[in-house]
Amino acid sequence: MARIQLTTEIAAPIERCFDLSRSIDLHIKSVDWSSEQAVAGVTTGLISSGEEVTWRARHFGVMISHTSRITAYESPIYFQDAMIRGVFRSFCHDHYFEARGLHTIMRDDVKFAAPLGILGVIAEKALVERHMRGLLLKRNAEIKRAAESEDWKNFLK
């Protein structure tokens, strides 16, 4: 099982950062290079407790689908999305938020396991972990950019 942990400091209120992290529309913008789209469940706006979204995207030249559910939710400090259907053997993303003065510390803790036994483990270490880290870094940069500018208003109506 692979694990990715990231910390991003954002000069914006915790509530704004929490909500931008739940924005389907901002997520789509942050991964536009993969043609990722929300195709079922919550497909626009903010996803919330118990809700699901199905993503379809091209990764490594292959179209894949991934359905996640918000399985834990404590606004504005924490939520968890976990895969309920998809190509991974397992996938869980914990999102943590901490207010520090006028800033927010956003932490991601992502755990996932590739399918296909030993071949999946090799792919996980050789390709998938780096790909997922890059995707998360781009997503977090977009959340930070939107939160620290007036663009957040386009996603939190």
Side-chain angles (χ1 to χ4, degrees), residues 22-63:
R22 298 183 304 120
S23 171
I24 301 294
D25 305 298
L26 181 61
H27 180 84
I28 290 169
K29 182 176 182 190
S30 74
V31 294
D32 60 358
W33 50 271
S34 70
S35 302
E36 188 159 336
Q37 294 297 311
V39 298
V42 179
T43 59
T44 189
L46 303 181
I47 193 163
S48 196
S49 183
E51 295 181 328
E52 297 177 8
V53 58
T54 298
W55 301 101
R56 187 167 297 135
R58 182 171 306 281
H59 294 281
F60 301 110
V62 177
M63 286 301 286

Side-chain angles (χ1 to χ4, degrees), residues 99-153:
R100 284 208 192 140
L102 300 176
H103 290 212
T104 298
I105 305 302
M106 180 174 74
R107 288 188 308 112
D108 296 278
D109 188 359
V110 180
K111 298 175 206 83
F112 61 91
L116 305 176
I118 191 67
L119 292 177
V121 172
I122 293 167
E124 200 174 273
K125 294 296 179 197
L127 300 169
V128 179
E129 189 172 345
R130 182 176 49 206
H131 181 73
M132 289 300 303
R133 181 177 297 279
L135 185 148
L136 290 165
L137 287 168
K138 288 175 185 173
R139 177 185 168 277
N140 289 358
E142 188 62 25
I143 291 169
K144 179 178 174 69
R145 184 204 60 75
E148 293 179 345
S149 70
E150 293 298 307
D151 196 30
W152 68 269
K153 295 174 184 175

Side-chain angles (χ1 to χ4, degrees), residues 78-104:
Y78 172 72
F79 71 96
Q80 178 186 79
D81 64 88
M83 182 190 79
I84 57 173
R85 277 185 306 283
V87 297
F88 289 99
R89 194 174 60 213
S90 65
F91 187 98
C92 186
H93 185 173
D94 291 297
H95 306 255
Y96 299 93
F97 303 85
E98 178 187 340
R100 284 208 192 140
L102 300 176
H103 290 212
T104 298

